[in-house]
């Protein structure tokens, strides 16, 4: 049974995990690693080769999650071990990220290996973090609580990233020999931040027991059995299944913009410092915007609010095809900040209301699997379009199709009927 929403300690402890791991998403994935990898660890590689290997590593992490998330989710439900699994993968991510601090120039293979550990730890821990929302919040509060998590993530990631940018711009003021040393210290800082702010969840969040005392082997057999049953069950829950397909398309568009934004700006010859400023704009706009979307989701319902966010994204993509100046990039960073946290938070909240109780980790494994499997298509379309047209401004246009398909499918999801069916299946 979910914890009553008045237990604010558990809600805040859960939400602060977003504050913790968003540092990795902001500082490492979106911010420093792509640039530092090219300029420091892989400086001797051709630019096309470093891009290729970086892309392969990101795709490998997504494919690992696609393959293992549903099974690990089912196993966590069997054992009542969502927190343990979250902490295990958090440890993997922290160690991988922290290891970048000690890596010398030229070791691009080792850098990619550590980055892969960090990515897998980040992506897999989110499966169990997402699923714990049903244990800390009442169903009527999913939108508000989910949005609080994303808002704190934007704020925490933004604050640490702002500090790191200042460190890189003025390394001597912080005791560093140069900007490169400051960047490597930033990686260690992310690892420590991630570990420290995971502690509230580790100590305060409670989860219900699994299916009783059983051996690991018995739980694993039960997980495989439950997984096969869940495949059939998801297909039978029409609105849940339809939402997952819609989510597959539109979140692919969202994630593609997140992963490709810096590369897009670099392709247009914008200064790297300006791109860092744009990322900061998105973070700090995203903090209040995610909270506002939580209120919109509670008042309008999550589906209309998600459709509003998708509409803004489509305008952003269309505008990007006409981009000429850094100021345009800043304007689009504001627009993305207004809706990015909202679409992510309300999608998580909507899905939480469309799944049966007792299978949350397993079904959020499907949810994350769908999101990361979809993330393979968008970057491929962007890269192919850039290659065929020779114009990076046109490379994002195929994402319009992903948003359009996702929006059309989402309009066909009957949320009330889906919630009723999930309740009956519980």
């Amino acid at each position: 049974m979910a914890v009553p929403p008045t237990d604010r300690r558990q809600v805040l402890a859960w939400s602060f995990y977003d504050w913790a791991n968003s540092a990795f998403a902001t500082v490492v994935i979106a911010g420093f690693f792509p640039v530092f990898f090219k300029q420091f660890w892989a400086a001797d590689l051709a630019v096309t080769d470093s891009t290729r290997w970086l892309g392969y590593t990101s795709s490998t992490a997504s494919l690992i999650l696609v393959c293992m998330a549903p099974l690990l989710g089912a196993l966590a439900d069997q054992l009542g071990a969502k927190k343990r699994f979250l902490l295990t993968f958090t440890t993997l991510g922290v160690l991988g990220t922290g290891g970048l601090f000690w890596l010398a120039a030229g070791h691009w293979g080792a850098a990619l290996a550590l980055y892969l550990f960090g990515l897998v730890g980040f992506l897999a821990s989110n499966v169990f973090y997402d699923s714990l929302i049903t244990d800390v919040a009442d169903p009527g509060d999913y939108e508000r609580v989910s949005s609080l998590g994303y808002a704190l993530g934007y704020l925490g990631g933004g604050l640490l990233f702002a500090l790191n940018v200042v460190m890189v711009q003025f390394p001597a003021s912080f005791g560093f020999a140069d900007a490169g040393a400051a960047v490597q210290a930033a990686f260690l800082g992310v690892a420590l931040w991630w570990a420290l702010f995971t502690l509230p969840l580790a100590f305060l969040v409670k989860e219900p027991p699994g299916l009783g005392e059983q051996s690991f082997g018995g739980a694993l057999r039960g997980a495989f059995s439950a997984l096969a049953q869940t495949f059939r069950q998801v297909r039978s829950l029409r609105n849940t299944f339809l939402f997952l397909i819609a989510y597959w398309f539109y979140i692919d568009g969202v994630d593609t913009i997140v992963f490709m934004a810096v590369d897009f700006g670099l392709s247009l010859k914008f200064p790297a410092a300006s791109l860092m400023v744009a990322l900061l704009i998105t973070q700090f706009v995203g903090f209040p915007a995610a909270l506002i979307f939580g209120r919109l989701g509670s008042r309008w319902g999550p589906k209309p609010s998600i459709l509003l966010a998708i509409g803004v994204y489509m305008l952003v993509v269309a505008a990007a095809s006409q981009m000429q100046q850094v100021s345009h990039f800043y304007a689009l960073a504001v627009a993305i900040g207004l809706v990015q946290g909202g679409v992510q938070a309300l999608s998580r909240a909507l899905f939480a209301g469309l799944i049966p109780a007792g299978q949350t980790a397993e079904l959020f494994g499907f949810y994350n699997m769908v999101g990361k499997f979809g993330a393979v298509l968008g970057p491929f379309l962007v890269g192919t379009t850039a290659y065929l047209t020779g114009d990076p401004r046109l490379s994002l246009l195929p994402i319009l199709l992903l948003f359009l398909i996702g929006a059309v499918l989402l309009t066909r999801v009957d949320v009330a009927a889906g919630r009723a069916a999930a309740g009956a299946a519980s």
Side-chain angles (χ1 to χ4, degrees), residues 283-306:
Q283 290 298 120
F284 288 113
V285 171
F287 167 62
L291 295 175
I292 291 170
F293 259 91
R295 292 184 177 275
L296 288 178
S298 297
R299 180 171 298 182
W300 294 355
K303 188 173 85 170
S305 304
I306 293 170

Side-chain angles (χ1 to χ4, degrees), residues 369-411:
M369 177 191 75
V370 166
K372 296 312 167 192
F373 187 70
V376 175
L377 180 60
F380 173 79
L381 291 174
V382 170
T384 302
T385 304
Y387 174 76
L388 293 176
T389 65
D391 187 348
R393 291 176 181 82
L394 302 179
S395 63
L396 295 181
L397 286 179
I399 302 176
L400 283 173
L401 183 62
L402 299 177
F403 283 125
L404 181 61
I405 294 173
V408 170
L409 291 173
L410 184 60
T411 60

